[in-house]
Amino acid sequence: MKGLVAAVEPPFSALFLYGSHARGDAHESSDVDVLQVTPAHRAPYSVGRVNVTCYTFEQLLRIARRGGLFARHLIEEATPLVDPEDMLGALKSTYVHPLDYGGVKKEVYGCAPLLDVTESEFNDNAVGLSSLATYLIRTYFYATAFDQGARSFSMEHILELVGQRRARLILLEVRSQLNFPKFRTARTLFEEITGAVCKRVEGSLEAFIVNASAQNELAMILGLRLLARGRPFTYDALLDLEL
Amino acid sequence: MPESLAFIGDIHADSVRLSALLRKIEGRRLVFLGDYIDHGPNSSGVLELLIDIGKRDQDAVFLSGNHEIGLLAFLSGKLSFLEYAWMGGLSTIRSYIGEARKDVRQELIAAVPASHCEFLSNCVPFFETEQLVACHAGINPARPESREIAEIVLGRHPSLFNDGLHLDKLVVCGHYLQKTLTPFVSNGVVCLNTGCGTIEGPATALLYPEMTVLHG
């Protein structure tokens, strides 16, 4: 636990372990998932096998009020590493259980154009696109499974419930091999399970983000993250300008 | 007797709340504290309103906020799409071009009227009298004499909100979101960013020298 806290780049107001290591069903190959509560927007990053996701506390509260899956994941399974202000308790008391996760599925469906890339575009950002495909597929499965009464965020349990055990290998390979054929396989799986077509009508990712921002916050944020390619981007850019 | 002023805090593209607030203010010199655009739904509409006010009222003062500088920087290519988007600029882009097709920056350049660019370029960094200084981000308490844009428009000075802060002049600013949706008012500092256009807060004005607060 101490090693995990040391791996995180400050500042943070709380740190939580979640995912398989928090549930206790991690394999040797499982990554370690950590949530870092940050004072300002920050891109996710990795330190070795530790994947650090960053949210501000206000963002988490907003997700909890909307009954978002990520907030549910945290309140059901997260283990505090550092939480002096009991943010986990605040999330639990704020969380509003939705009637169903149809809204999440609709947002994921609307992200399909983000996966419309050529091989050379993929090679330009293989890590970002592979993890995006995995994220969208997993989120769609979570939403489907919890509408069917799932009890755990364990992916094996989820895949069993939605009758998609074959997807486990696809999800593993797309992230471990980072090549275009595996990405295409994952994209086909995404199209099969969601019924969406991965086709972008806009002539650029920027244009898609502008249009998506009117009605699909998930597509907007994931599009911006793709564009950032893991680089942090902050308001401070303005201070670098010659004025 | 000091001049009767009305300071107006961050608007962030909420033309409805801005109009409601302005209907409550009469017979005063208006000093707008910047951040007219981004986040909210109607950046172009807010600028139209302000340009109209400027035509009718030559004494009105329009200060620059970091978002006004951000839009100009995006238009001139000094700020990337990503950086401007992250500032809350996507809604501004949509308010001008409707649907984006490909080259967002070029489409925006083509859609923003020259009068809007002129208005943005003519916004000033501060307004100062013997009694007070008004600027978007407030002055830096460690360098109270500085009027550099990097400090008073783009900077962040959380120590303005410290207890016991002593400054020679009243500082009137916006910029620092007051999550309570009510303005911060102390003996030396007033902050009028009450979440208009960002967290569904009101547009807020301070009537000076009475120190009365109005909401729209």
Side-chain angles (χ1 to χ4, degrees):
Chain A
M1 293 282 189
K2 276 184 185 166
L4 275 181
V5 175
V8 169
E9 297 166 11
F12 54 81
S13 44
L15 293 176
F16 301 101
L17 181 68
Y18 68 101
S20 58
H21 284 271
R23 276 192 308 274
D25 60 12
H27 301 293
E28 262 183 36
S29 60
S30 302
D31 284 350
V32 181
D33 296 311
V34 170
L35 168 70
Q36 176 173 358
V37 182
T38 48
H41 294 292
R42 183 170 176 178
Y45 63 96
S46 295
V47 181
R49 299 222 354 232
V50 182
N51 300 322
V52 185
T53 304
C54 301
Y55 282 89
T56 65
F57 186 51
E58 286 72 23
Q59 281 178 311
L60 291 171
L61 285 177
R62 198 154 58 90
I63 297 170
R65 276 187 218 107
R66 289 167 52 185
L69 271 167
F70 185 60
R72 179 162 176 182
H73 197 155
L74 293 173
I75 63 176
E76 292 199 2
E77 296 186 352
T79 305
L81 299 169
V82 179
D83 188 18
E85 294 172 47
D86 192 22
M87 289 182 173
L88 192 57
L91 280 184
K92 283 179 182 171
S93 58
T94 305
Y95 190 79
V96 178
H97 282 272
L99 290 175
D100 64 50
Y101 288 105
V104 174
K105 287 157 86 169
K106 201 173 157 192
E107 280 198 323
V108 171
Y109 178 95
C111 291
L114 292 172
L115 301 177
D116 180 18
V117 289
T118 62
E119 185 162 6
S120 84
E121 287 167 335
F122 172 82
N123 289 334
D124 237 18
N125 189 11
V127 173
L129 283 158
S130 298
S131 63
L132 174 66
T134 317
Y135 174 80
L136 291 174
I137 293 167
R138 287 167 63 112
T139 304
Y140 200 85
F141 283 150
Y142 281 138
T144 308
F146 276 93
D147 279 347
Q148 292 174 19
R151 306 289 303 165
S152 156
F153 278 83
S154 152
M155 195 34 76
E156 277 178 35
H157 168 70
I158 297 289
L159 295 179
E160 187 77 37
L161 202 71
V162 299
Q164 288 279 356
R165 270 185 298 181
R166 72 187 174 110
R168 187 170 178 272
L169 189 63
I170 297 173
L171 289 168
L172 278 175
E173 286 185 343
V174 70
R175 287 198 70 176
S176 62
Q177 299 193 17
L178 299 176
N179 62 39
F180 191 61
K182 294 298 177 193
F183 171 77
R184 224 169 27 201
T185 306
R187 186 167 65 187
T188 304
L189 172 65
F190 175 85
E191 290 183 326
E192 282 172 13
I193 61 173
T194 63
V197 178
C198 294
K199 183 83 194 143
R200 192 183 68 216
V201 295
E202 295 86 353
S204 69
L205 177 56
E206 285 92 335
F208 170 76
I209 291 168
V210 170
N211 296 340
S213 67
Q215 76 280 340
N216 189 340
E217 194 180 10
L218 180 70
M220 175 192 79
I221 290 170
L222 294 178
L224 288 173
R225 284 191 174 172
L226 266 189
L227 213 53
R229 296 183 192 187
R231 284 179 289 125
F233 43 101
T234 69
Y235 301 100
D236 297 341
L238 275 176
L239 288 170
D240 296 331
L241 295 177
E242 285 177 31
L243 295 164
Chain B
M1 183 71 182
E3 186 180 15
S4 292
L5 302 168
F7 295 99
I8 291 129
D10 301 40
I11 299 159
H12 282 304
D14 191 335
S15 53
V16 175
R17 286 189 167 98
L18 171 62
S19 299
L21 178 64
L22 291 174
R23 280 196 291 273
K24 297 179 180 176
I25 303 170
E26 271 185 1
R28 285 171 183 268
R29 186 171 190 194
L30 300 173
V31 181
F32 292 85
L33 294 170
D35 277 9
Y36 313 122
I37 58 169
D38 294 346
H39 292 297
N42 195 5
S43 289
S44 62
V46 165
L47 290 190
E48 274 302 309
L49 267 171
L50 297 180
I51 289 166
D52 201 40
I53 289 167
K55 281 180 190 160
R56 286 185 277 113
D57 178 0
Q58 301 286 316
D59 285 338
V61 177
F62 301 98
L63 300 182
S64 211
N66 54 315
H67 287 263
E68 284 70 59
I69 291 179
L71 174 55
L72 286 173
F74 176 58
L75 288 169
S76 65
K78 290 178 184 165
L79 205 62
S80 73
F81 171 83
L82 189 60
E83 289 159 339
Y84 185 51
W86 211 244
M87 286 185 73
L90 292 173
S91 61
T92 298
I93 296 170
R94 288 203 318 272
S95 85
Y96 282 106
I97 68 176
E99 200 147 304
R101 294 184 301 279
K102 187 175 181 181
D103 189 331
V104 173
R105 193 196 310 269
Q106 289 306 321
E107 289 160 30
L108 185 62
I109 289 170
V112 176
S115 59
H116 289 210
C117 289
E118 191 185 357
F119 173 83
L120 294 168
S121 303
N122 288 339
C123 288
V124 294
F126 64 95
F127 170 82
E128 190 158 11
T129 68
E130 279 182 23
Q131 295 83 25
L132 61 86
V133 55
C135 46
H136 181 63
I139 61 163
N140 179 356
R143 294 182 62 213
E145 72 291 348
S146 169
R147 298 293 179 266
E148 290 170 22
I149 288 174
E151 294 221 282
I152 65 173
V153 181
L154 303 176
R156 288 194 74 78
H157 312 298
S159 59
L160 282 170
F161 302 94
N162 288 354
D163 288 339
L165 179 73
H166 177 76
L167 297 164
D168 289 341
K169 292 183 176 185
L170 175 70
V171 174
V172 185
C173 65
H175 197 47
Y176 308 94
L177 180 62
Q178 303 299 305
K179 290 176 184 168
T180 56
L181 309 186
T182 55
F184 175 88
V185 182
S186 73
N187 285 337
V189 177
V190 174
C191 176
L192 298 178
N193 180 6
T194 50
C196 182
T198 52
I199 53 171
E200 298 184 16
T204 298
L206 175 82
L207 305 185
Y208 180 89
E210 301 87 338
M211 301 296 279
T212 308
V213 169
L214 297 176
H215 295 301

